[in-house]
Amino acid sequence: MGVSKISENLYQKLTNDDEARACKAIDDKACKEVPGNYVLILLSQLFSKLGDALLNPKITLPWLMQSLGAPAYMISALVPIRESGSLIPQLFIGQWVRKHAKRKHLWSIGALTQAICVLLMALLAWQQTENQLYAWLVLGLLAIFSIARSLSSVSSKDVIGKTIPKQKRGQLSGQAASVSGLITVTFGVGLFIAATQVNNVNFVITLVLAAIFWLIGALTFSKIKEYEGATEGGESGLDKIKQDLALLKTDPILKKFILARGLLLSSALIPPYFTVLAQQNIGNGAWVLAALLAVSGLASLVSGAFWGRLADQSSKHVMIYGATITVAITAVLLATSLFYSSLLEKIWFIPLCYFVIAIAHQGVRVGRKTYVVDMAEGNKRTSYVTLSNTIIGIVLLLTSALGVVASVFSINVLLALYIMVTILGIVLTSRLPNVTER
């Protein structure tokens, strides 16, 4: 059986598609390559998510920084650099991306750069020396890593939009999330077992494995059969940036989507406070963190494919469902903290809540990724992705100030604030059009 036939059979099993498939929103040439491209994109996303699971800015990197003797303010900078650093530059990177008729190699360049950065981090970890200079180098490498990730993010959404038809894109994202969830569960269990045996050698092995996964992902993505697309808009960077910013005035749907997406960031910002409550009420041992990581991966495993298929019917409603679950489980935890706090000390309660909110966040994430890819075609899609991601990156930096609310008042007050923000996001999302059928 040839490779193409294997890809065809696997594609049909993954999507429940038949031979007479319809290719909505892509041309006829690309339609013929859908099965093979679907499998290749799925594999490349899997390998990149494997790398992400190992280079976790909330687990692996903080431990590495502590081993290098980094102060708390440097450790606290990890997540903002990792997340915002990959989002804010996209408006500018998008100009370079537009100049290329084929963009799959840009994703591979980004993945290769990420692999090199992680290998250099592994080299620093191998020194087994408490050295703040090394810690600064890790932050610098993480910044370069994030910019490379930004390049991969912009180019990947465009390649998916050119090679995968509508009503299959959500399934692709959901299936990648499910498989990565299985890996995260495995990683969490491994961390639980090795909770008392963490040392620099573990860091080196973990980082080298992450780099290998990104290298494999880069090679896999480069094999995608992509046809040339639009290149207009890549000539004058500053003028094009002004044109993209003007979309906020001329495109009401994009404006509403960005605002709704910003309000629904709560599904990502709330879970860390579930972790804080777990540490305060259950214990501060590494096993607690490992347990939360495992249930988070389990949530992706059991819900990713479900959310993906639902997003292909209506990505807008998937965002609403995920946000509604976020409100409900946060309200349950808040009420428990206020009126029945002894329940928080049960070893199962907060992990169970974390499991539910992780499912909710997966829904919001799959829904908004599918929505933005389906909103437009060609370079207009690139403009939508880069503009929305840049703005959301800035919003993420600003939301870090909300931590002051928890410090001055309490976590409960902050959770109540997030509930209200999420409800507002649900209302705004409900007013968005259903772009899946457009």
Side-chain angles (χ1 to χ4, degrees):
M1 184 180 293
V3 175
S4 59
K5 188 62 177 179
I6 294 175
S7 297
E8 181 78 38
N9 292 338
L10 184 57
Y11 173 76
Q12 291 178 25
K13 291 179 180 179
L14 289 171
T15 63
N16 291 326
D17 205 357
D18 55 26
E19 295 288 344
R21 57 181 174 272
C23 292
K24 191 174 183 179
I26 64 174
D27 60 37
D28 293 336
K29 291 189 297 183
C31 183
K32 297 176 182 178
E33 307 295 343
V34 167
N37 284 338
Y38 189 98
V39 173
L40 287 171
I41 293 174
L42 181 61
L43 288 174
S44 61
Q45 287 192 357
L46 169 60
F47 285 118
S48 67
K49 288 178 182 297
L50 282 169
D52 282 336
L54 295 180
L55 193 75
N56 193 309
K58 299 175 184 177
I59 299 173
T60 311
L61 288 180
W63 277 348
L64 173 58
M65 294 290 277
Q66 286 179 333
S67 73
L68 296 176
Y73 72 88
M74 293 180 69
I75 296 175
S76 65
L78 290 170
V79 173
I81 291 176
R82 167 69 167 71
E83 299 300 331
S84 298
S86 64
L87 293 174
I88 293 176
Q90 291 194 14
L91 188 60
F92 307 95
I93 288 177
Q95 309 311 309
W96 186 60
V97 171
R98 287 187 184 93
K99 297 179 181 180
H100 297 79
K102 292 185 178 182
R103 298 164 186 178
K104 65 178 183 178
H105 294 299
L106 302 183
W107 191 96
S108 296
I109 290 172
L112 178 61
T113 304
Q114 291 174 75
I116 293 173
C117 289
V118 177
L119 284 175
L120 292 174
M121 290 182 191
L123 181 61
L124 294 172
W126 180 258
Q127 304 303 313
Q128 301 189 23
T129 304
E130 288 194 9
N131 189 324
Q132 283 197 23
L133 174 60
Y134 288 174
W136 280 110
L137 288 174
V138 169
L139 287 181
L141 289 169
L142 184 61
I144 298 173
F145 172 95
S146 298
I147 294 173
R149 183 180 179 83
S150 180
L151 173 61
S152 293
S153 177
V154 174
S155 53
S156 70
K157 290 182 176 63
D158 186 69
V159 172
I160 290 172
K162 289 165 63 180
T163 59
I164 306 299
K166 280 188 176 184
Q167 299 179 341
K168 298 298 178 187
R169 298 164 182 170
Q171 293 179 58
L172 177 64
S173 179
Q175 287 163 359
S178 291
V179 177
S180 68
L182 175 61
I183 303 301
T184 306
V185 171
T186 304
F187 183 60
V189 173
L191 175 61
F192 185 87
I193 295 173
T196 59
Q197 303 176 17
V198 178
N199 53 49
N200 286 48
V201 175
N202 295 84
F203 290 139
V204 173
I205 295 174
T206 299
L207 294 174
V208 170
L209 282 175
I212 291 173
F213 288 138
W214 267 300
L215 287 172
I216 297 174
L219 178 62
T220 304
F221 205 87
S222 69
K223 301 298 182 181
I224 293 171
K225 293 183 178 179
E226 176 193 7
Y227 293 96
E228 292 187 353
T231 58
E232 67 272 8
E235 307 84 12
S236 176
L238 184 58
D239 289 343
K240 185 59 178 146
I241 288 173
K242 291 180 179 178
Q243 292 176 24
D244 286 351
L245 289 173
L247 288 172
L248 295 175
K249 293 182 178 180
T250 61
D251 195 323
I253 296 177
L254 176 63
K255 183 178 180 180
K256 288 180 181 179
F257 168 73
I258 293 175
L259 183 55
R261 180 182 171 185
L263 293 171
L264 297 186
L265 279 174
S266 52
S267 69
L269 298 172
I270 292 174
Y273 295 100
F274 281 39
T275 302
V276 172
L277 289 173
Q279 291 173 323
Q280 292 177 349
N281 293 276
I282 302 176
N284 198 35
W287 70 269
V288 177
L289 196 57
L292 293 176
L293 182 62
V295 299
S296 175
L298 183 62
S300 296
L301 175 63
V302 301
S303 69
F306 168 77
W307 286 130
R309 289 188 178 278
L310 201 57
D312 282 331
Q313 299 175 28
S314 176
S315 51
K316 160 185 144 176
H317 286 101
V318 167
M319 288 190 286
I320 293 174
Y321 298 152
T324 302
I325 296 173
T326 298
V327 169
I329 194 60
T330 305
V332 168
L333 187 63
L334 177 60
T336 302
S337 179
L338 291 173
F339 305 111
Y340 193 29
S341 59
S342 61
L343 187 57
L344 298 179
E345 299 175 2
K346 304 295 183 180
I347 61 174
W348 57 269
F349 181 72
I350 296 181
L352 178 60
C353 292
Y354 198 102
F355 174 73
V356 175
I357 199 169
I359 289 178
H361 174 61
Q362 195 63 243
V364 173
R365 185 171 179 271
V366 170
R368 59 94 175 162
K369 289 177 69 174
T370 306
Y371 194 94
V372 74
V373 173
D374 286 348
M375 280 178 71
E377 299 177 12
N379 272 342
K380 193 172 184 181
R381 180 190 297 113
T382 307
S383 296
Y384 280 14
V385 171
T386 55
L387 180 61
S388 62
N389 281 351
T390 297
I391 293 175
I392 292 302
I394 296 172
V395 172
L396 274 170
L397 282 180
L398 296 176
T399 55
S400 61
L402 289 176
V404 176
V405 175
S407 301
V408 176
F409 298 98
S410 67
I411 291 178
N412 289 337
V413 173
L414 183 59
L415 292 179
L417 177 62
Y418 275 134
I419 288 175
M420 290 186 287
V421 169
T422 310
I423 292 174
L424 183 59
I426 292 171
V427 173
L428 189 58
T429 304
S430 68
R431 298 177 179 175
L432 291 172
N434 191 347
V435 296
T436 304
E437 299 177 354
R438 291 172 66 188

